[in-house]
Coordinates of all heavy atoms in Angstrom, one line a residue:
T1339 N 52.5 32.0 4.3 CA 51.5 31.4 3.4 C 52.2 30.3 2.5 O 51.7 29.3 2.3 CB 50.7 32.4 2.6 OG1 50.1 33.4 3.4 CG2 49.6 31.7 1.8
G1340 N 53.3 30.7 2.0 CA 54.1 29.8 1.1 C 54.5 28.6 1.8 O 54.5 27.5 1.1
K1341 N 54.8 28.7 3.1 CA 55.3 27.5 3.8 C 54.1 26.6 4.3 O 54.2 25.4 4.4 CB 56.1 27.9 5.0 CG 57.4 28.5 4.7 CD 58.1 28.9 6.0 CE 59.5 29.5 5.7 NZ 60.2 29.9 7.0
E1342 N 53.0 27.3 4.6 CA 51.8 26.6 5.3 C 50.8 26.0 4.3 O 50.1 25.0 4.6 CB 51.2 27.5 6.3 CG 52.1 27.9 7.5 CD 51.3 28.7 8.5 OE1 50.2 29.1 8.2 OE2 51.9 29.0 9.5
C1343 N 50.7 26.7 3.2 CA 49.6 26.3 2.2 C 50.0 26.4 0.8 O 49.7 27.5 0.1 CB 48.3 27.0 2.5 SG 46.9 26.4 1.6
P1344 N 50.8 25.4 0.2 CA 51.2 25.5 -1.1 C 50.1 25.7 -2.2 O 50.3 26.3 -3.2 CB 52.0 24.2 -1.3 CG 52.3 23.7 0.0 CD 51.2 24.2 0.9
I1345 N 48.9 25.1 -1.9 CA 47.9 25.2 -2.9 C 47.3 26.6 -3.0 O 47.3 27.1 -4.1 CB 46.7 24.2 -2.5 CG1 47.1 22.7 -2.6 CG2 45.5 24.5 -3.4 CD1 46.1 21.8 -2.2
R1346 N 47.1 27.2 -1.9 CA 46.6 28.6 -2.0 C 47.7 29.5 -2.4 O 47.4 30.5 -3.1 CB 46.1 29.0 -0.6 CG 44.8 28.4 -0.2 CD 44.1 29.0 1.0 NE 42.9 28.4 1.3 CZ 42.0 28.9 2.2 NH1 42.3 30.0 2.8 NH2 40.9 28.3 2.5
Y1347 N 48.9 29.2 -2.1 CA 50.0 30.1 -2.6 C 50.2 29.9 -4.1 O 50.4 30.9 -4.8 CB 51.3 29.7 -1.9 CG 52.4 30.7 -2.0 CD1 52.3 31.8 -1.2 CD2 53.4 30.6 -2.9 CE1 53.3 32.8 -1.2 CE2 54.5 31.6 -2.9 CZ 54.4 32.7 -2.1 OH 55.3 33.7 -2.2
G1348 N 49.9 28.8 -4.6 CA 49.9 28.6 -6.1 C 48.9 29.5 -6.7 O 49.1 30.0 -7.8
L1349 N 47.7 29.5 -6.1 CA 46.6 30.4 -6.6 C 47.0 31.8 -6.6 O 46.7 32.6 -7.5 CB 45.3 30.1 -5.8 CG 44.7 28.8 -6.0 CD1 43.5 28.6 -5.0 CD2 44.3 28.5 -7.4
L1350 N 47.7 32.2 -5.5 CA 48.2 33.6 -5.4 C 49.2 33.9 -6.6 O 49.1 35.0 -7.1 CB 48.8 33.8 -4.0 CG 49.3 35.3 -3.8 CD1 48.2 36.3 -3.8 CD2 50.0 35.3 -2.4
V1351 N 50.1 33.0 -6.8 CA 51.0 33.2 -7.9 C 50.3 33.4 -9.2 O 50.6 34.2 -10.1 CB 52.0 32.1 -8.0 CG1 52.9 32.2 -9.2 CG2 52.9 32.1 -6.7
A1352 N 49.3 32.6 -9.4 CA 48.5 32.7 -10.7 C 47.8 34.0 -10.7 O 47.7 34.6 -11.8 CB 47.4 31.6 -10.7
A1353 N 47.3 34.5 -9.6 CA 46.6 35.9 -9.6 C 47.7 36.9 -9.9 O 47.4 37.9 -10.6 CB 46.0 36.1 -8.2
A1354 N 48.9 36.8 -9.4 CA 49.9 37.8 -9.6 C 50.3 37.8 -11.1 O 50.5 38.9 -11.7 CB 51.2 37.4 -8.9
K1355 N 50.2 36.7 -11.8 CA 50.5 36.7 -13.3 C 49.4 37.5 -14.0 O 49.7 38.1 -15.1 CB 50.5 35.2 -13.8 CG 51.7 34.4 -13.3 CD 51.7 33.0 -13.8 CE 52.9 32.2 -13.2 NZ 53.0 30.8 -13.7
E1356 N 48.2 37.5 -13.5 CA 47.1 38.2 -14.1 C 47.1 39.6 -13.8 O 46.8 40.4 -14.7 CB 45.8 37.6 -13.7 CG 45.3 36.3 -14.4 CD 43.8 36.1 -14.1 OE1 43.0 36.6 -14.9 OE2 43.5 35.3 -13.2
G1357 N 47.6 40.0 -12.6 CA 47.4 41.4 -12.3 C 48.6 42.3 -12.3 O 48.6 43.5 -12.2
C1358 N 49.7 41.7 -12.5 CA 51.0 42.4 -12.5 C 51.5 42.6 -13.9 O 51.5 41.6 -14.7 CB 52.1 41.8 -11.6 SG 51.6 41.8 -9.8
A1359 N 52.1 43.7 -14.2 CA 52.6 44.0 -15.6 C 53.9 43.1 -15.8 O 54.6 42.9 -14.9 CB 52.9 45.5 -15.7
G1360 N 54.1 42.8 -17.1 CA 55.3 42.1 -17.5 C 55.2 40.6 -17.2 O 54.2 40.1 -16.8
R1361 N 56.3 39.9 -17.5 CA 56.4 38.5 -17.3 C 56.5 38.2 -15.8 O 57.4 38.7 -15.1 CB 57.6 38.0 -18.1 CG 57.7 36.4 -18.0 CD 59.0 36.0 -18.7 NE 59.2 34.6 -18.7 CZ 58.8 33.7 -19.6 NH1 58.2 34.2 -20.6 NH2 59.0 32.4 -19.5
V1362 N 55.7 37.3 -15.3 CA 55.7 36.8 -14.0 C 55.7 35.3 -13.9 O 54.8 34.7 -14.4 CB 54.5 37.4 -13.1 CG1 54.6 36.8 -11.7 CG2 54.5 38.9 -13.1
E1363 N 56.8 34.7 -13.4 CA 56.9 33.3 -13.3 C 56.7 32.8 -11.9 O 56.5 31.6 -11.6 CB 58.2 32.8 -13.9 CG 58.4 33.0 -15.4 CD 59.5 32.3 -15.9 OE1 60.2 31.6 -15.2 OE2 59.8 32.4 -17.2
G1364 N 56.8 33.7 -10.9 CA 56.7 33.3 -9.5 C 56.6 34.5 -8.6 O 56.9 35.7 -9.0
L1365 N 56.2 34.2 -7.4 CA 56.2 35.2 -6.3 C 56.8 34.6 -5.1 O 56.4 33.6 -4.6 CB 54.8 35.6 -6.0 CG 54.5 36.6 -4.9 CD1 55.1 37.9 -5.1 CD2 53.0 36.7 -4.7
T1366 N 57.9 35.2 -4.6 CA 58.6 34.6 -3.5 C 59.1 35.7 -2.5 O 58.8 36.9 -2.7 CB 59.7 33.7 -4.0 OG1 60.3 33.0 -2.9 CG2 60.8 34.6 -4.7
T1367 N 59.9 35.3 -1.5 CA 60.4 36.3 -0.6 C 61.9 36.0 -0.4 O 62.4 34.9 -0.7 CB 59.7 36.1 0.8 OG1 59.9 34.8 1.3 CG2 58.2 36.4 0.7
E1368 N 62.5 37.1 0.0 CA 64.0 37.0 0.3 C 64.3 37.6 1.6 O 63.7 38.5 2.0 CB 64.8 37.8 -0.9 CG 64.7 37.3 -2.2 CD 65.4 38.1 -3.2 OE1 65.8 39.2 -2.9 OE2 65.7 37.6 -4.3
D1369 N 65.4 37.1 2.2 CA 65.8 37.6 3.5 C 66.5 38.9 3.3 O 67.2 39.1 2.2 CB 66.8 36.7 4.2 CG 66.2 35.4 4.7 OD1 65.0 35.5 5.1 OD2 66.9 34.3 4.7
A1370 N 66.3 39.9 4.1 CA 66.9 41.2 4.1 C 67.7 41.4 5.4 O 67.8 40.5 6.2 CB 65.9 42.3 3.8
V1371 N 68.1 42.6 5.6 CA 69.0 42.9 6.7 C 68.2 42.9 8.0 O 67.0 43.4 8.1 CB 69.6 44.4 6.5 CG1 70.5 44.7 7.7 CG2 70.5 44.4 5.2
G1372 N 68.8 42.4 9.1 CA 68.3 42.3 10.4 C 67.0 41.6 10.6 O 66.0 42.1 11.1
R1373 N 67.0 40.3 10.2 CA 65.8 39.5 10.3 C 64.5 40.1 9.7 O 63.4 40.1 10.3 CB 65.6 39.1 11.8 CG 66.6 38.1 12.3 CD 66.1 37.5 13.7 NE 64.8 36.9 13.6 CZ 64.5 35.7 13.1 NH1 65.5 35.0 12.6 NH2 63.3 35.2 13.2
T1374 N 64.7 40.7 8.6 CA 63.5 41.2 7.8 C 63.4 40.5 6.5 O 64.3 39.7 6.1 CB 63.7 42.8 7.6 OG1 64.8 43.0 6.7 CG2 63.7 43.5 8.8
V1375 N 62.3 40.6 5.9 CA 62.1 39.9 4.6 C 61.4 40.9 3.6 O 60.6 41.8 4.0 CB 61.1 38.7 4.9 CG1 59.9 39.1 5.5 CG2 61.0 37.8 3.7

Side-chain angles (χ1 to χ4, degrees):
T1339 306
K1341 291 180 177 179
E1342 294 181 356
C1343 190
I1345 294 177
R1346 290 193 177 190
Y1347 199 75
L1349 294 173
L1350 181 61
V1351 173
K1355 293 179 180 180
E1356 281 196 82
C1358 295
R1361 182 185 181 90
V1362 177
E1363 294 192 1
L1365 174 63
T1366 187
T1367 58
E1368 294 180 344
D1369 291 331
V1371 178
R1373 286 191 56 78
T1374 61
V1375 61

